[in-house]
Amino acid sequence: MEYRRLAEELEHELRGIYSVTNNIVKQCHLAIELCRNLLTDFRYLVRQQGFDSLESEITFFKSIKQVPLENLIYHFELKSFEVNFPKNSKELQGKSIRKKLKKLDSFFSRNVDFVQYIEQGKTYLDDKYFTREYFGESNISHSMSYYRDPEFSTSHEILLAKLKVNKRLAIYLRKRRDGLETNTLPSLSTNANSLQWTSSRTDMTELAYSLKKNGSINFGDASIREIINALERAFNFQVGDPYKTFSEIKIRKKSRTKFLDELSIGLLSAMEDDDF
């Protein structure tokens, strides 16, 4: 799919800008330009080609378009924070970081239902959240409209992007806070080169228990908590209580191995595609 290829190329270009300059504001400026350019290209392609199914439309707005949209918002918010960050007073700097983290916590509290919907891997509202038909039902207010073209936007795509952005910002701000005493800035290149888990907490829990039971980590001697912690660090994601989540997985009415089933289907599909 051309959309996915372009999104992957953007991710590669974003990794490259951190070798151009060490200035975070400049890095953000370059990233914003790249993301805006791709969103413009995506908008043109969507208008020209459309989608061949409801599923492909959902995939585009829930996953593929999220790459430039999330990075646009993230780098815009980060640039705004750094430009307005106090320059001399450690006390004011700490206060600024605490204020921003408090705002992030407020966001997660206000949108707790949607956060749970995404993190639990639910999909039953995807046709309303991530197709253009229900664009007018958006309940999101922003001081800035990033991309709100009715032909190119859905009701909840920005909310999803903000959810991902705010998790990234929280990580950045905590590192910024920890580096105040040594005047050490977080490296954006670390964020850019690290992978992000974009599936749900139940999916990661399912994977962790499978790795444990299969003896794939430390010959089976690693605990669930150790495996979860490693996955969380590798993919910048917080699972929460894996034991509680595993209990929820066990009482699923449909497939109790939903994520592993999807991985198997995906692998078989990749093999079939490679045969042509």
Side-chain angles (χ1 to χ4, degrees), residues 232-265:
E232 288 179 330
R233 289 193 300 271
F235 299 116
N236 288 323
F237 190 81
Q238 295 297 314
V239 167
D241 184 350
Y243 308 107
K244 180 176 181 296
T245 302
F246 186 61
S247 297
E248 295 170 355
I249 292 173
K250 290 194 296 182
I251 60 174
R252 283 174 178 167
K253 292 183 179 180
K254 295 183 179 180
S255 173
R256 295 200 294 177
T257 57
K258 176 177 172 290
F259 181 58
L260 296 180
D261 293 343
E262 291 173 350
L263 288 180
S264 178
I265 292 171

Side-chain angles (χ1 to χ4, degrees), residues 27-275:
Q27 291 171 347
C28 289
H29 176 76
L30 294 172
I32 289 168
E33 184 177 1
L34 287 173
C35 294
R36 282 177 170 164
N37 288 341
L38 181 55
L39 285 168
T40 299
D41 292 341
F42 273 170
R43 181 171 176 267
Y44 173 80
L45 289 171
V46 167
R47 284 184 166 183
Q48 293 296 313
Q49 301 178 8
F51 303 101
D52 56 15
S53 67
L54 182 68
E55 289 72 21
S56 63
E57 181 174 358
I58 291 172
T59 297
F60 175 79
F61 287 108
K62 188 178 183 182
S63 177
I64 299 173
K65 186 186 173 185
Q66 286 292 313
V67 176
L69 184 60
E70 174 194 341
N71 279 289
L72 171 66
I73 300 174
Y74 175 70
H75 288 95
F76 179 87
E77 296 287 348
L78 190 56
K79 179 182 177 181
S80 177
F81 175 80
E82 287 295 342
V83 166
N84 294 287
F85 193 62
K87 299 300 184 282
N88 298 314
S89 170
K90 290 287 195 300
E91 182 180 352
L92 291 178
Q93 289 175 344
K95 183 178 180 180
S96 177
I97 292 173
R98 290 192 297 272
K99 181 179 179 181
K100 186 66 175 178
L101 284 170
K102 187 175 180 180
K103 287 181 66 176
L104 297 184
D105 288 338
S106 178
F107 168 87
F108 291 116
S109 296
R110 291 196 314 271
N111 298 285
V112 63
D113 291 339
F114 183 73
V115 171
Q116 291 180 351
Y117 176 85
I118 294 298
E119 292 188 347
Q120 293 176 9
K122 296 178 180 178
T123 60
Y124 67 93
L125 291 174
D126 279 4
D127 59 330
K128 294 181 173 61
Y129 288 168
F130 303 110
T131 64
R132 293 163 293 174
E133 182 178 354
Y134 296 91
F135 169 77
E137 296 187 9
S138 173
N139 61 352
I140 310 164
S141 60
H142 297 278
S143 58
M144 172 183 178
S145 294
Y146 299 96
Y147 264 77
R148 302 306 293 155
D149 180 349
E151 296 182 13
F152 186 57
S153 304
T154 72
S155 65
H156 283 65
E157 61 174 13
I158 284 187
L159 185 57
L160 176 59
K162 289 285 287 184
L163 169 59
K164 296 177 180 179
V165 165
N166 287 347
K167 288 182 177 181
R168 291 173 67 180
L169 283 175
I171 293 171
Y172 177 87
L173 291 168
R174 293 187 186 104
K175 290 180 179 179
R176 193 74 163 91
R177 178 191 59 198
D178 294 342
L180 284 180
E181 291 303 320
T182 57
N183 291 318
T184 303
L185 290 174
S187 172
L188 292 192
S189 61
T190 300
N191 292 335
N193 288 322
S194 62
L195 300 175
Q196 283 193 301
W197 184 265
T198 54
S199 193
S200 69
R201 64 181 178 86
T202 53
D203 291 345
M204 182 176 283
T205 304
E206 191 177 319
L207 176 62
Y209 271 87
S210 300
L211 293 172
K212 163 70 175 173
K213 192 65 178 178
N214 195 49
S216 300
I217 309 295
N218 290 354
F219 302 100
D221 291 334
S223 69
I224 287 296
R225 187 70 263 179
E226 288 174 325
I227 295 173
I228 287 289
N229 287 344
L231 291 172
E232 288 179 330
R233 289 193 300 271
F235 299 116
N236 288 323
F237 190 81
Q238 295 297 314
V239 167
D241 184 350
Y243 308 107
K244 180 176 181 296
T245 302
F246 186 61
S247 297
E248 295 170 355
I249 292 173
K250 290 194 296 182
I251 60 174
R252 283 174 178 167
K253 292 183 179 180
K254 295 183 179 180
S255 173
R256 295 200 294 177
T257 57
K258 176 177 172 290
F259 181 58
L260 296 180
D261 293 343
E262 291 173 350
L263 288 180
S264 178
I265 292 171
L267 177 59
L268 291 172
S269 177
M271 291 176 177
E272 291 173 358
D273 291 344
D274 196 52
D275 289 339

